[in-house]
Amino acid sequence: MLGDTTSDDTASDEATAHEATAGAGRRALVLVENLSVPFDRRVWQECTTLRDAGWEVHVICPRGTKRDTEARALIDGVRIHRYPLRAATGGPAGYLREYGTALWHTARLARAVGPVDVVHACNPPDLLFLPALWLKRRGARFVFDQHDLVPELYLSRFDRGKDLLYRGVCALERMTYRAADVVLATNESYRDVAVRRGGQRPEDVFVVRSAPDTDRFHPVPAEPELKRGKPHLLCYLGVMGPQDGVDYALRALAKLRDDLGRTDWHAVFVGAGDAFDAMVELSKRLGLSEQVQFTGRIPDADLARYLSTADVCLSPDPRNPLNDVSTMNKVLEYMVMGRPIVSFDLREARVSAGEAALYAPANDEAEFARLVALLMDDPEQRAEMGKLGQERIGGQLSWRNSQRALLAAYAAAVRGRAPVSAAPRVRTGKRQRS
């Protein structure tokens, strides 16, 4: 048996080595609409993995507001082309304006980039198949990187039911699947949707899990002053949208104070989103302003300080059609920092965190508060849970495994196809580092 295992590992290593050099002479174009790059950590890790495998990597994405503001940049060998984009406001008309602008700029910049072997489109929205189809007609293969299930996102975010717009986003998802040659799924639940609902062949769907970059994001010495004189620090990290559960966390903290009589904590909420102002106002209405701090988006170095000091981290995403099957980046980042987690009981939360989290029944704010209090009172359990989380991130959930899956997906996409003819490289801005 030992001999068989060693042989299998050797074959796997040889296959990985082959895939890691399969990009030589090939060009990839990554399309992103909802975040700038390299701010989008998953996309940036994919880009650098492909670069290291010999691919010439281009990215088209929107400009950031405080970072990633240059129109063109060459960062660590990745060529980034950015366009101005105003986020949607005012309902469906705002989204129509945002997406129309993004598609126009994406098509314009894709023409400037020239021929590519692979066009890699990251959703949401499920509209980037349109420029991908144009590139497919010019010889590219289409890799669909499904970050979100947009029909489930629509149901969870807008509370409009299965109306005309819902049927529209379902149709766009079907068209995206139909156009894709290869699909990247963030977890097994998404892979199942791609096969079952999207009609993809199982061998064309690759699970590429998101994972923190442990070289750049790791624990630092705790800073007790961040607790603002309290014995315990509670921390939330993530986007603050209607579906992200920040309101659940705030109501749970009010119960922690009012029902359990606990005021021995300070809480920090790190992140931003279109519900940010509403969450600050809710905190005021609940009388939490003195104990809850909202930082907005902060640099990674500051985030590491808060997470390294936190006693308990919060993952309050409520159960809804999207959250139950989605992998939460916040959970993975809590784990890499060795922090214990309180989460609602969601299918993919358990897959990610395992015993590194305690799970309250779905959407039960009182039980969520009770579990936070339980961990506050048990430093040994906190330490054990943090250790288990770090072991999972360093093992089965590590980015190394995702790198192998990503390179295998690209190898499958271009198998049997000659590289595109080298095209003149577009001008880029001054070289800089992320």
Side-chain angles (χ1 to χ4, degrees), residues 232 311 340 373-386:
H232 303 290
D311 297 286
L374 185 153
L375 286 178
M376 288 166 57
D377 292 336
D378 194 338
E380 291 184 0
Q381 184 176 7
R382 295 201 307 265
E384 179 63 20
M385 291 170 64

Side-chain angles (χ1 to χ4, degrees), residues 5 71 236:
T5 302
Y236 170 90

Side-chain angles (χ1 to χ4, degrees), residues 148-392:
D148 281 310
L149 301 177
V150 176
E152 283 79 1
L153 175 61
Y154 180 85
L155 291 175
S156 302
R157 183 180 177 89
F158 295 110
D159 195 27
R160 294 167 59 107
K162 296 183 179 181
D163 61 0
L164 180 62
L165 285 175
Y166 170 79
R167 294 194 291 273
V169 298
C170 289
L172 291 173
E173 182 189 69
R174 286 195 298 272
M175 287 186 275
T176 301
Y177 279 133
R178 192 174 302 127
D181 298 299
V182 167
V183 174
L184 307 183
T186 57
N187 58 39
E188 292 292 343
S189 295
Y190 277 34
R191 183 180 187 274
D192 179 65
V193 170
V195 173
R196 174 177 46 82
R197 190 165 81 198
Q200 294 290 309
R201 299 187 308 167
E203 60 267 31
D204 292 332
V205 185
F206 295 78
V207 176
V208 179
R209 292 185 174 276
S210 298
D213 182 350
T214 55
D215 291 332
R216 296 182 58 183
F217 194 62
H218 50 77
V220 299
E223 299 181 29
E225 60 270 21
L226 297 177
K227 299 184 180 185
R228 295 196 173 181
K230 299 291 186 178
H232 303 290
L233 180 66
L234 314 178
C235 194
Y236 170 90
L237 161 66
V239 176
M240 298 186 189
Q243 75 277 9
D244 294 305
V246 177
D247 53 334
Y248 284 81
L250 291 172
R251 290 191 293 268
L253 293 181
K255 292 180 183 297
L256 180 65
R257 178 196 61 194
D258 299 337
D259 298 351
L260 301 178
R262 301 295 295 263
T263 59
D264 55 340
W265 53 270
H266 176 66
V268 175
F269 283 69
V270 179
D274 52 9
F276 180 87
D277 292 340
M279 294 302 99
V280 173
E281 180 59 32
L282 176 60
S283 176
K284 293 177 181 177
R285 292 202 306 272
L286 293 170
L288 293 171
S289 297
E290 295 300 315
Q291 286 188 263
V292 173
Q293 173 188 358
F294 290 87
T295 68
R297 286 178 177 159
I298 59 177
D300 284 353
D302 291 332
L303 173 59
R305 293 169 55 230
Y306 281 113
L307 291 182
S308 296
T309 306
D311 297 286
V312 181
C313 286
L314 312 177
S315 184
D317 307 86
R319 180 179 291 168
N320 58 38
L322 178 69
N323 290 345
D324 196 41
V325 296
S326 296
T327 299
M328 304 301 172
N329 288 334
K330 68 172 75 68
V331 169
L332 304 174
E333 292 177 333
Y334 297 157
M335 291 164 64
V336 78
M337 303 299 284
R339 301 299 95 188
I341 304 160
V342 175
S343 171
F344 288 124
D345 194 357
L346 308 178
R347 184 194 318 174
E348 285 295 334
R350 283 189 176 273
V351 171
S352 294
E355 294 181 358
L358 299 182
Y359 303 94
N363 308 352
D364 186 335
E365 296 160 359
E367 183 63 10
F368 194 98
R370 189 189 72 80
L371 293 178
V372 170
L374 185 153
L375 286 178
M376 288 166 57
D377 292 336
D378 194 338
E380 291 184 0
Q381 184 176 7
R382 295 201 307 265
E384 179 63 20
M385 291 170 64
K387 179 182 177 182
L388 290 171
Q390 288 182 318
E391 289 174 352
R392 290 175 66 80

